[in-house]
């Protein structure tokens, strides 16, 4: 069983690569960004609470996100494995994820980190903003804030997995197919 954390800054290609990983390995895709956007679309209390944070490019509070992931895992505990996309984004979330997986006798197999220069991310996010309809992709100040939040709050998560010897660097530039090849090379070795 593979349980993978796909890690990387906003715009590093986590969503795109997750789709390809899901197709090839049959894992269940758990994207906290997608789940939060779904809650917003449905106008749930959780969605309303998350809205302000998301529009500014800030992190939604840990307790809210952790509970949402916990609920999702509980309904899918028979999955072949999970691909976590956009989660964990804080060390607190990473610890909570380990705890919740433990309940099902599961662990994270590896954390794949998509490495992309910040100058390239800015270009990609602005480009995505033209079609994604995402407010947080359309405004330079919000993009800069997301990069700042990533540097301050999310990069320590890499160290957390490095200490567990689960941190795998993936060069996140090049064609979608070539990046996916790096990923499959790593995942096939882990299976
Ligand atoms: P994403 O689609 O992963 O870029 O996420 C979009 C937005 O949703 C982020 O900028 C945050 O506001 C929120 N979000 C997504 N995942 C998390 C998370 N794990 N922890 C806190 N906030 C999150």
């Amino acid at each position: 069983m593979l349980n993978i954390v796909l890690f990387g800054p906003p715009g590093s290609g986590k969503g795109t690569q997750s789709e390809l990983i899901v197709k090839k390995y049959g894992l269940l895709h758990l994207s906290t960004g997608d789940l939060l956007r779904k809650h917003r679309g449905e106008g749930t209390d959780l969605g309303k609470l998350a809205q302000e944070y998301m529009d500014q490019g800030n992190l939604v509070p840990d307790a809210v996100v952790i509970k949402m992931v916990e609920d999702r895992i509980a309904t899918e505990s028979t999955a072949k494995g999970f691909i976590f996309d956009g989660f964990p984004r804080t060390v607190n979330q990473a610890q909570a994820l380990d705890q919740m997986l433990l309940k099902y006798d599961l662990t994270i197999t590896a954390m794949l980190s998509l490495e992309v220069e910040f100058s390239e991310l800015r270009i990609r996010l602005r480009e995505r903003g033209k079609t994604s309809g995402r407010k947080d992709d359309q405004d330079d100040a919000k993009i800069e804030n997301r990069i700042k939040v990533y540097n301050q709050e999310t990069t320590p998560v890499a160290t957390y997995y490095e200490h567990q010897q689960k941190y795998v660097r993936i060069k996140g530039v090049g064609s979608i197919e070539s990046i996916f090849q790096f990923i499959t090379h790593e995942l096939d070795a882990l299976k």
Side-chain angles (χ1 to χ4, degrees), residues 15-29 80-81 83 176-177 180 183-184 187 191:
T16 306
Q17 294 297 332
S18 290
E19 279 178 28
L20 298 173
I21 295 170
V22 165
K23 261 193 213 149
K24 185 168 165 79
Y25 297 93
L27 305 182
L28 194 123
H29 184 208
K80 267 172 85 180
I83 172 141
I176 291 173
E177 294 74 23
F180 185 55
I183 292 178
T184 55
L187 292 184
K191 268 203 300 181

Side-chain angles (χ1 to χ4, degrees), residues 3-151:
N3 293 306
I4 303 298
V5 171
L6 193 58
F7 186 81
S12 57
K14 298 188 295 294
T16 306
Q17 294 297 332
S18 290
E19 279 178 28
L20 298 173
I21 295 170
V22 165
K23 261 193 213 149
K24 185 168 165 79
Y25 297 93
L27 305 182
L28 194 123
H29 184 208
L30 201 158
S31 155
T32 43
D34 287 352
L35 286 176
L36 289 166
R37 279 184 288 276
K38 186 161 180 278
H39 274 281
R40 284 184 59 171
E42 291 169 356
T44 66
D45 288 346
L46 196 160
K48 284 179 198 145
L49 189 152
Q51 184 156 341
E52 182 79 13
Y53 297 98
M54 294 174 79
D55 283 346
Q56 296 307 316
N58 289 322
L59 294 185
V60 174
D62 280 344
V64 175
V65 178
I66 289 167
K67 169 83 174 55
M68 186 178 75
V69 172
E70 225 164 7
D71 290 347
R72 185 83 178 101
I73 290 179
T75 58
E76 300 286 355
S77 56
T78 55
K80 267 172 85 180
F82 290 94
I83 172 141
F84 296 96
D85 160 7
F87 179 86
R89 260 175 155 102
T90 63
V91 171
N92 200 6
Q93 291 180 14
Q95 287 165 340
L97 179 60
D98 278 346
Q99 290 300 317
M100 57 181 110
L101 289 177
L102 207 61
K103 281 195 211 158
Y104 302 97
D105 223 6
L106 302 173
T107 53
I108 292 298
T109 319
M111 184 260 224
L112 307 184
S113 173
L114 290 170
E115 317 258 311
V116 181
E117 299 265 333
F118 289 111
S119 53
E120 167 75 11
L121 294 174
R122 290 186 180 95
I123 297 169
R124 287 189 191 179
L125 288 169
R126 281 186 202 119
E127 206 42 46
R128 187 169 79 181
K130 292 179 188 164
T131 53
S132 68
R134 284 178 54 168
K135 278 192 193 164
D136 59 349
D137 282 345
Q138 290 168 359
D139 180 310
D140 284 353
K142 285 173 190 164
I143 290 177
E144 287 312 315
N145 190 45
R146 282 156 74 204
I147 292 175
K148 190 183 103 198
V149 167
Y150 175 81
N151 281 328

